[in-house]
Amino acid sequence: MSAPIATKRRLSAPRERVFDAWTDPAKLARWWGPKGFRNTFHRFEAVAGGTWEYTMHAPDGTDFLNKTVFVELTRPSRVVLDHLEPMHRFTMTFDLAEMNGGTELSLRMVFEDPAEAERVGAFVAAANEENLDRLESVLKENI
């Protein structure tokens, strides 16, 4: 296992709402991925052991098929998933803590292959920040 890629973000929404943005596929499809990406969900089972299969569509037209399994969903405090294929095998953990009417989100990714983590670490860290920017935009809407 590699050293984790980690970030924290203070969100102005209650953690129940943040958790819902993770477990509602219509909301998740709107914010998941770096800036400019969009998603098509093929299968979405938001339960422990459930499968999430989706295609991320990059701004340049490249499609990235993904398969993920939910390891843990503890309302409203934690989402853990294993990203399995076809690339970037890792475990991602989102911890949500109440913070003065908002939520502190802690994101942690641990890659199966340390060499891969080293190779993609800078890109992944920046992409995670863009992902959280998109989450914040969705949370600011009246949904």
Side-chain angles (χ1 to χ4, degrees), residues 48-111:
T51 300
W52 175 25
E53 293 175 353
Y54 59 101
T55 300
M56 293 180 75
H57 309 284
D60 68 2
T62 304
D63 289 337
F64 299 95
L65 184 62
N66 290 267
K67 183 175 181 182
T68 301
V69 172
F70 287 100
V71 175
E72 178 184 347
L73 290 121
T74 304
R75 180 173 289 280
S77 59
R78 178 176 258 209
V79 175
V80 180
L81 54 86
D82 283 337
H83 187 273
L84 302 176
E85 54 186 68
M87 57 184 175
H88 306 312
R89 294 180 68 92
F90 58 84
T91 297
M92 179 179 269
T93 302
F94 283 84
D95 284 310
L96 309 171
E98 287 185 33
M99 226 37 197
N100 300 324
T103 302
E104 181 178 79
L105 182 150
S106 299
L107 180 158
R108 182 173 185 228
M109 293 176 73
V110 178
F111 282 77

Side-chain angles (χ1 to χ4, degrees), residues 10-32:
R10 169 104 161 90
L11 303 168
S12 58
R15 70 183 181 154
E16 275 286 343
R17 193 157 175 218
V18 178
F19 190 88
D20 287 344
W22 247 113
T23 56
D24 179 331
K27 292 176 187 168
L28 182 59
R30 291 177 46 222
W31 68 266
W32 186 251

Side-chain angles (χ1 to χ4, degrees), residues 2 18 40 117:
S2 65
V18 178
T40 301

Side-chain angles (χ1 to χ4, degrees), residues 21 24-33 37-39 41 131 134-135 137-139 141 143:
D24 179 331
K27 292 176 187 168
L28 182 59
R30 291 177 46 222
W31 68 266
W32 186 251
F37 278 71
R38 60 183 181 78
N39 297 284
F41 288 9
N131 209 4
R134 295 180 69 193
L135 170 59
S137 292
V138 168
L139 292 170
E141 298 172 3
I143 51 176

